[in-house]
Structure formats: structure tokens, C-alpha cells
């Protein structure tokens, strides 16, 4: 067990890198949540379910196309779109009629969605554990700082920042991105200049779903895809978004890094209570900066 | 304006319900008595949350932790020490209230959503420790086969015991809400800034409300142990906390007895749908969505509106005509 081996620089470095790579997945999921929170002001409890859905859909697509490398890449790209489509249907059919209602009713609605998605996944996929093989290119490990790092984690380390920059460019340089950001700050003003706020909301919600699905697809080769993975992620992403600054995309990145790194060092130093460390970090951050580290749009 | 007559009517109504519940064990099978007992326990929990959430306006997002602390304290004392059971029964709520005081002290410094999030992280901390500390709390297995005192061991006896506790809790909560303290609490909910301006110590009132609410959550936790004879870390998991919150919302959280109704709806849905299908959460989700769309005021709001009849509406419309 871990208790026996000495903590060398190499061990610390490898835990650090694995922690950051896990943080990248947390970032993808929590940036979606942050986007929905920022624009719609709704704590979307169903976000974790969409993440789980993303993982299951990715698994199904990859197995359907034979499970090879090409199938994996296709699943990685297609699964977020499937999840986004499901999000769009739920939003246009039901959610959009509730925007005028009391805020907590929206929370209640997303809770209902969480219950429904959870059971639908159980109906379609059952309660088995599944695992998805990473493509040949990303299997195995490479040695960095004289310690082995799984190639897939390296891939995540590269993919995370790319997604972050893409999101940043998207929300700053495209019209719809700018409108969504404006709606996050002052939705009434956006409505007043003749923009259909309902569709802006739909867009934000669907983008949130897309990111949740992408996170689920990205995580699927590193964990066992199973029921209950929604419950684990949702509370983590909520806390990440809060400590980072509600609605702030870079805040989601900062929060994810704090969460991922404290978790992996927890595994290193006190494996039995590893899950405790991120929560302690969150408490400390909120005591230090009650409104999150970066500026919140709220 | 609640006239004396109306008040008397309401008290009579509650008394009739309690009387009915007293005779119920003679009439219906044990299974239903068990369900009702679970509803009573959950009602205590939901009402305790509603004191801070509905009447206090606080985002008490992780109330389940205090329920769990009450349950675990009682369970540990009953199962692992030779102290008299009464000690466990009293220590449970006190431990929950102590935890409420500590967590509350941190949380009241923040407002609204941040309050809720800090509470979730502090609560999750408690949950994570309980979940992993195998030597002390039994870890994810929990503690099973907790010896319940013989006086409460049959379901009918625990039914009467918990019904009594529920009635006592309801009376206490009612008195608290009608007291000056309750008035200030609701005023703080409606306008904290103005309350602070007239010299009310907002945070202290909120903290006291949290301690009271967590104490009653601890009572509910002890009652859970009495009914089930077991504890497990899921009692402190955030899903349960969310569920209690939903019960208050569903029942109507500006009403006094709404949470009871919410608790009854969720518990019976889970039980009865669970008998027929494995997928009861799907059914619960669909019913929730229907309720959101068709009963926006919560179930209790709907019922009170129906009971009042068309009279107030007619009055309102004549007033409008006069205005014009």
C-alpha cells in the first residue's frame, strides 16, 4: 500500500500531473454548469445526469462501431452532440415554459429531470459496470520526471486547455457568445434591445448539456461507467463553480485545479480520507473569499 | 385575518386527524402503520428544515447531515456503550444542535447561495469522514442491528411514540413561529437589510434558528433509528438533503404544515411505486413535473385555495370593480 513507499519528487510530480488531468474533466463539466448558472441563474441539479448520459452514450457508440480507435474518437465527438440534443428537447418541451416562475421551482424541475434521467439510464443500460478502452495511441504510459504517467491523462492535460481556450474564444468572439454573456449580466437589457431571451437561455442550456456530455465522454476510459457517477460529480462541480466565482469560466478552471490537486495529494498522504481534502479546500476558500476567487457574474 | 372561530376550527381539525391516527393501528395492516411511521419521521425532518428554509429564508442545503448526526449519535450510544438508551435519545438531538451551531457559525457569515454552498461543503466533510472512518462509524456499511429498548420494539409502539413526538414537535414549532422570535425570523427572511437597520442582529437570529432546526433534525434522526434499527452514511448524503428541500417546496413552504404533506407525498410515492416497479424515481420525476406545471403554489397552497372556496376571489373582483 501507499503507506510503505517513500514520497519522492517523482511520486509527487506524478500525483500532481494526474491531479491536474482529473481537474481538466472537472473543468469541462463545471464550466458547463457555470454557464447555465451564469445565464439562466438555475442550479441545474440534472447536470451530473447529463454527464453520466455522456459517458454511457460514448460507450454505446464506441462499442457499436467495433471499439477501435476510430470508434473511440467518433464517440468522443458524437456523444456530446447527442446529450446536447436531449438537453434541447427537454428545454424546449418543458423547461422554457418555467422561466417566468419562481426560481426554486426551476430547481425543483431540474431535480425531477435528474430523477428521470437517472432511471432512463438504468432502463436503457442496466446497472452493470462498463469500461471503455482508450484508443491504441493513448494506451500505456510515458515517463515524465522519472515516473510513469498514463498517456490518456496526458491527452486530458492537452485537451483541457484547448477546450478552455475554445470556450473563451467562442464566448468572446462570436455574436451568440457575446449575447449569452450579456444576458448573464443583465437579462432585462438584452430583452429590451429586441433579442429573444428565451432562445438565448435555450442556447446556454444546450451548451451546458454539451459540455456535461463531453466531460462524460472524456472520463469514460478512465473510470468504470456506471449508475451513480452522476451523484459523485454534481456536488463536486457545484462546489468548484462556487469557489471559482459563479458564472466565471476561468473560475471553473481555478476551482477544478484546486479540487483535482487536493484530491490527488489526499490520495498520496492519507488515502483513507482522500475524499475529505477537497471539501476542506472549499471551506478554506469560502472563508477566505466568500464570493469565490474570481469575479462572479451574480 | 384569522378569526378566533377559524383558529378553533383549525385546532379541531388537527385534533380530529390525531384522533383518527390514534385508532388507525387497529384498522389497517402493519405495513401501512410502518409507512405512516416513516412519514412521521420524515415530517419532523421536513418541518425542522422549513423553520429555517421556508420561514427563515436560509438556503439550508445540507440539512440531512444533522439528521444523520442525530441518528449516528443515538446509534453509537445504543450499540457500542452500556449507557441507558435514554442517554442516546437525548444526546442525538444535542449533538445535532451542536453541529448546527458550529456549521451555522461559519455559514451565517455568507448570504444566500454562498451560505448553501458552504453548508454543502461542510456537510460533505462530515459525510466523507463518516463514510470512511470504518473503526468508529462503520464506514459505508453503517451500523446494523442497533438494540432498540423493548418499550419501543414493536411497530405499533414506535408508531404511537413517534406520533407523540411529532405532535410535540409541531406544537413547539408553532409556538416558536408565533413568538416574537419567529416574527423577527420571518421579517429577516422578507427584508434582512431593513431588519438590520432597525437594530436586529440578523446573524444571531439566523444562528439561533439553525440551532433549533438542527436540534429537531436530530430528533428526527433518533426516531429514524427507533424505526429502522440501523444507520448508514446515505443519511448524510446530499441527495437526501435535496429531497427534504424538495418536500418543503412541494408541500408549500410558506405554510406551516406543507412540509408534512410534502413528506407524505414523497415517502408514499417511493414506497408504493417501489412495490410495483424498480423505476420509482422515474415516476416520482414525472409526477413532480406534473405538479410543477399544474400546481404552482405547492400542494398545500392548492388545498387551502380550494378550501377557502370562491369567496375570497369574488371579494377581490368586487374590490377591483370598486377601484375602477
Amino acid at each position: 500500500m501507499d503507506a510503505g513507499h517513500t514520497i519522492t519528487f517523482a511520486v509527487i510530480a506524478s500525483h500532481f500531473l494526474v491531479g491536474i488531468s482529473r481537474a481538466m474533466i472537472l473543468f469541462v463539466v463545471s464550466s458547463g454548469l457555470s454557464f447555465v448558472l451564469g445565464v439562466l441563474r438555475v442550479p441545474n441539479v440534472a447536470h451530473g445526469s447529463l454527464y453520466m448520459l455522456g459517458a454511457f452514450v460514448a460507450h454505446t457508440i464506441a462499442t457499436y462501431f467495433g471499439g477501435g480507435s476510430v470508434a473511440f474518437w467518433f464517440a468522443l465527438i458524437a456523444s456530446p452532440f447527442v446529450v446536447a440534443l436531449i438537453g434541447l428537447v427537454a428545454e424546449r418541451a418543458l423547461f422554457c415554459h418555467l422561466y417566468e416562475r419562481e426560481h426554486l421551482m426551476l430547481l425543483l424541475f431540474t431535480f425531477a429531470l435528474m430523477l428521470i434521467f437517472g432511471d432512463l439510464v438504468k432502463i436503457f443500460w442496466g446497472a452493470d459496470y462498463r469500461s471503455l478502452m482508450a484508443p491504441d495511441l493513448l494506451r500505456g504510459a510515458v515517463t515524465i520526471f522519472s515516473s510513469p504517467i498514463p498517456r490518456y491523462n496526458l491527452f486530458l492535460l492537452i485537451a483541457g486547455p484547448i477546450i478552455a481556450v475554445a470556450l473563451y474564444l467562442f464566448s468572446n468572439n462570436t455574436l451568440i457568445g457575446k449575447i449569452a454573456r450579456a444576458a448573464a449580466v443583465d437579462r432585462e437589457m438584452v430583452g429590451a434591445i429586441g433579442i429573444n431571451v428565451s432562445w438565448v437561455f435555450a442556447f446556454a442550456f444546450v451548451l451546458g448539456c454539451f459540455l456535461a456530455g463531453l466531460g462524460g465522454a472524456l472520463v469514460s476510459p478512465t473510470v468504470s461507467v456506471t449508475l451513480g457517477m452522476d451523484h459523485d460529480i454534481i456536488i463536486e462541480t457545484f462546489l468548484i463553480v462556487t469557489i471559482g466565482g459563479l458564472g466565471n469560466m476561468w473560475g471553473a478552471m481555478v476551482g477544478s485545479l484546486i479540487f483535482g490537486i487536493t484530491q490527488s495529494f489526499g490520495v498520496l498522504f492519507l488515502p483513507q480520507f482522500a475524499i475529505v481534502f477537497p471539501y476542506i479546500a472549499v471551506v478554506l476558500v469560502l472563508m477566505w473569499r466568500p464570493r469565490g476567487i474570481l469575479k462572479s457574474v451574480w | 385575518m384569522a378569526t378566533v372561530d377559524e383558529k378553533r376550527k383549525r385546532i379541531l381539525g388537527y385534533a380530529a386527524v390525531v384522533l383518527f391516527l390514534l385508532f388507525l393501528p387497529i384498522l389497517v395492516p402493519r405495513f401501512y402503520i410502518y409507512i405512516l411511521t416513516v412519514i412521521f419521521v420524515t415530517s419532523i425532518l421536513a418541518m425542522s428544515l422549513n423553520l429555517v428554509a421556508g420561514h427563515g429564508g436560509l438556503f439550508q442545503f445540507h440539512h440531512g447531515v444533522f439528521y444523520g448526526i442525530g441518528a449516528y449519535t443515538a446509534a453509537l450510544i445504543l450499540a457500542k456503550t452500556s449507557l441507558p438508551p435514554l442517554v442516546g435519545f437525548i444526546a442525538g438531538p444535542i449533538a445535532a444542535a451542536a453541529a448546527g451551531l458550529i456549521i451555522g457559525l461559519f455559514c451565517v457569515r455568507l448570504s444566500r447561495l454562498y451560505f448553501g454552498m458552504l453548508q454543502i461543503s461542510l456537510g460533505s466533510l462530515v459525510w466523507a469522514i463518516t463514510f470512511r472512518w470504518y473503526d468508529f462509524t462503520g464506514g459505508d456499511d453503517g451500523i446494523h442491528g442497533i438494540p432498540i429498548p423493548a418499550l419501543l420494539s414493536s411497530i405499533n409502539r414506535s408508531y404511537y411514540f413517534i406520533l407523540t413526538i411529532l405532535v410535540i414537535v409541531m406544537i413547539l414549532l408553532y409556538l416558536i413561529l408565533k413568538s416574537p422570535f419567529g416574527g423577527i425570523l420571518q421579517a429577516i427572511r422578507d427584508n434582512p437589510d431593513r431588519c438590520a437597520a432597525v437594530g436586529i442582529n440578523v446573524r444571531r437570529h439566523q444562528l439561533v434558528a439553525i440551532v433549533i432546526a438542527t436540534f429537531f433534525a436530530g430528533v428526527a434522526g433518533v426516531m429514524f433509528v427507533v424505526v429502522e434499527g440501523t444507520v448508514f452514511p446515505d443519511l448524510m448524503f446530499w441527495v437526501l438533503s435535496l429531497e427534504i428541500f424538495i418536500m418543503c417546496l412541494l408541500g408549500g413552504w410558506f405554510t406551516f404544515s406543507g412540509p408534512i404533506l410534502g413528506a407524505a407525498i414523497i415517502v408514499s410515492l417511493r414506497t408504493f411505486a417501489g412495490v410495483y416497479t424498480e423505476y420509482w424515481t422515474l415516476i416520482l420525476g414525472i409526477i413532480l413535473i406534473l405538479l410543477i406545471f399544474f400546481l404552482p403554489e405547492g400542494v398545500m397552497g392548492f388545498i387551502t385555495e380550494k378550501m377557502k372556496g370562491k369567496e375570497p376571489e369574488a371579494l377581490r373582483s368586487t374590490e377591483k370593480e370598486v377601484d375602477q
Side-chain angles (χ1 to χ4, degrees):
Chain A
M1 286 295 289
D2 279 39
H5 79 217
T6 48
I7 294 164
T8 60
F9 174 73
V11 175
I12 291 177
S14 95
H15 272 264
F16 188 67
L17 286 179
V18 170
I20 296 179
S21 69
R22 176 161 158 69
M24 289 306 118
I25 288 171
L26 289 173
F27 162 72
V28 173
V29 183
S30 55
S31 64
L33 184 71
S34 183
F35 211 78
V36 175
L37 257 172
V39 179
L40 277 76
R41 308 278 155 121
V42 179
N44 182 9
V45 187
H47 201 69
S49 314
L50 295 160
Y51 159 85
M52 175 168 73
L53 211 57
F56 273 98
V57 170
H59 180 269
T60 300
I61 294 177
T63 357
Y64 182 79
F65 288 105
S69 290
V70 181
F72 173 82
W73 293 113
F74 181 67
L76 195 60
I77 294 163
S79 158
F81 282 101
V82 174
V83 176
L85 187 69
I86 293 168
L88 180 69
V89 171
E91 202 275 344
R92 281 294 107 182
L94 299 166
F95 204 30
C96 67
H97 303 294
L98 296 173
Y99 290 145
E100 302 299 314
R101 297 275 287 280
E102 212 215 317
H103 227 77
L104 285 159
M105 279 294 155
L106 301 179
L107 175 70
L108 191 57
F109 177 81
T110 60
F111 177 67
L113 273 192
M114 181 186 102
L115 295 177
I116 292 173
F117 283 147
D119 256 5
L120 285 181
V121 168
K122 207 202 259 176
I123 290 172
F124 280 114
W125 283 282
D128 308 337
Y129 286 75
R130 288 148 200 277
S131 61
L132 186 63
M133 280 293 262
D136 297 331
L137 183 67
L138 299 176
R139 249 176 258 169
V142 284
T143 307
I144 297 178
F145 300 129
S146 64
S147 62
I149 309 284
R151 275 169 198 253
Y152 193 79
N153 290 67
L154 277 186
F155 163 68
L156 291 176
L157 284 177
I158 299 163
I162 292 175
I163 294 167
V165 170
L167 261 180
Y168 174 77
L169 292 177
F170 178 75
S171 58
N172 279 282
N173 293 341
T174 62
L175 183 64
I176 181 73
K178 284 181 191 165
I179 292 172
R181 276 178 56 227
V185 179
D186 191 341
R187 67 166 92 171
E188 271 158 40
M189 199 60 208
V190 170
I193 57 171
I195 291 165
N196 188 340
V197 181
S198 174
W199 277 101
V200 178
F201 282 10
F203 166 75
F205 188 78
V206 169
L207 181 63
C209 295
F210 179 87
L211 288 167
L214 182 60
L218 278 173
V219 84
S220 55
T222 63
V223 294
S224 55
V225 176
T226 176
L227 289 171
M229 61 191 287
D230 53 341
H231 286 179
D232 295 333
I233 192 107
I234 184 71
I235 211 73
E236 294 178 358
T237 49
F238 263 116
L239 295 174
I240 285 168
V241 166
T242 315
I243 60 173
L246 292 170
N248 187 319
M249 193 201 84
W250 295 113
M253 180 61 104
V254 173
S256 303
L257 287 173
I258 291 173
F259 224 88
I261 292 170
T262 48
Q263 205 162 36
S264 66
F265 278 104
V267 173
L268 183 61
F269 292 116
L270 200 57
Q272 191 188 357
F273 289 105
I275 46 172
V276 172
F277 288 94
Y279 296 120
I280 294 176
V282 172
V283 172
L284 292 178
V285 168
L286 282 181
M287 298 319 312
W288 168 52
R289 292 195 73 128
R291 306 204 135 244
I293 295 171
L294 298 181
K295 196 170 171 294
S296 146
V297 299
W298 277 44
Chain B
M1 269 173 278
T3 56
V4 181
D5 201 39
E6 212 170 287
K7 213 175 188 179
R8 193 174 293 160
K9 230 187 242 171
R10 194 181 299 167
I11 290 171
L12 274 175
Y14 277 118
V17 171
V18 170
L19 205 66
F20 173 69
L21 289 172
L22 280 178
F23 285 105
L24 212 56
I26 306 168
L27 305 169
V28 300
R30 280 169 54 109
F31 177 65
Y32 293 95
I33 296 305
Y34 166 74
I35 305 292
L36 272 173
T37 317
V38 175
I39 291 176
F40 294 161
V41 175
T42 320
S43 298
I44 298 174
L45 182 59
M47 287 191 90
S48 71
L49 172 65
N50 205 39
L51 176 72
V52 277
H55 303 291
L58 290 169
F59 281 20
Q60 179 96 345
F61 278 168
H62 216 330
H63 202 57
V65 161
F66 308 107
Y67 178 59
I69 289 174
Y72 265 94
T73 308
L76 285 170
I77 289 175
L78 288 177
K80 295 198 175 173
T81 69
S82 52
L83 294 167
L86 191 63
V87 176
F89 283 25
I90 295 169
I94 291 175
L101 178 67
I102 295 166
I103 291 182
L105 267 174
F106 284 100
C107 291
V108 289
R109 299 178 45 206
L110 313 188
S111 60
R112 316 278 303 164
L113 199 61
Y114 296 94
F115 174 102
M117 286 300 162
L118 182 58
Q119 197 179 51
I120 285 184
S121 48
L122 284 164
S124 301
L125 207 60
V126 177
W127 165 78
I129 292 170
T130 313
F131 190 71
R132 286 297 174 91
W133 198 355
Y134 290 92
D135 303 334
F136 184 56
T137 61
D140 53 359
D141 298 329
I143 304 167
H144 302 292
I146 299 159
I148 306 299
L151 200 62
L152 299 171
S153 55
S154 89
I155 185 67
N156 275 0
R157 283 176 184 170
S158 52
Y159 171 86
Y160 283 120
F161 175 63
I162 292 170
L163 180 60
T164 316
I165 299 287
L166 173 64
V167 172
I168 293 171
V169 168
M170 281 180 74
I171 292 170
L172 287 177
L173 282 174
Y174 185 80
L175 292 178
I176 289 168
L177 280 173
K178 289 295 160 192
S179 70
F181 170 78
I184 292 173
L185 192 64
Q186 289 167 67
I188 290 173
R189 170 194 69 197
D190 294 335
N191 197 333
D193 295 336
R194 202 170 282 182
C195 286
V198 295
I200 292 168
N201 190 331
V202 171
R203 284 178 184 173
R204 186 179 300 162
H205 277 85
Q206 289 177 331
L207 188 61
V208 172
I210 292 171
V211 171
I212 295 170
T214 51
F215 179 85
F216 286 122
V219 171
V222 174
M223 295 305 123
F224 177 85
V225 174
V226 170
V227 184
E228 305 284 356
T230 172
V231 288
F232 39 83
D234 270 5
L235 290 175
M236 299 185 183
F237 199 45
W238 67 272
V239 176
L240 180 85
S241 296
L242 187 62
E243 227 174 76
I244 319 164
F245 212 87
I246 300 298
M247 287 172 195
C248 294
L249 271 178
L250 191 64
W253 65 338
F254 296 131
T255 59
F256 179 70
S257 42
I260 298 183
L261 205 66
I265 292 172
I266 302 249
V267 171
S268 23
L269 265 178
R270 178 188 317 169
T271 319
F272 294 113
V275 170
Y276 295 107
T277 163
E278 189 187 340
Y279 306 112
W280 70 271
T281 56
L282 178 69
I283 295 168
L284 177 60
I286 292 169
I287 290 177
L288 275 180
I289 287 183
L290 291 176
L291 285 174
I292 295 164
F293 274 95
F294 297 110
L295 298 182
E297 298 297 315
V299 179
M300 201 62 196
F302 175 74
I303 292 175
T304 40
E305 202 169 281
K306 282 284 159 197
M307 283 206 313
K308 276 179 189 160
K310 276 158 193 125
E311 208 176 304
E313 209 169 329
L315 275 176
R316 240 178 280 144
S317 61
T318 47
E319 269 167 30
K320 252 181 212 160
E321 273 164 34
V322 172
D323 279 343
Q324 283 162 358

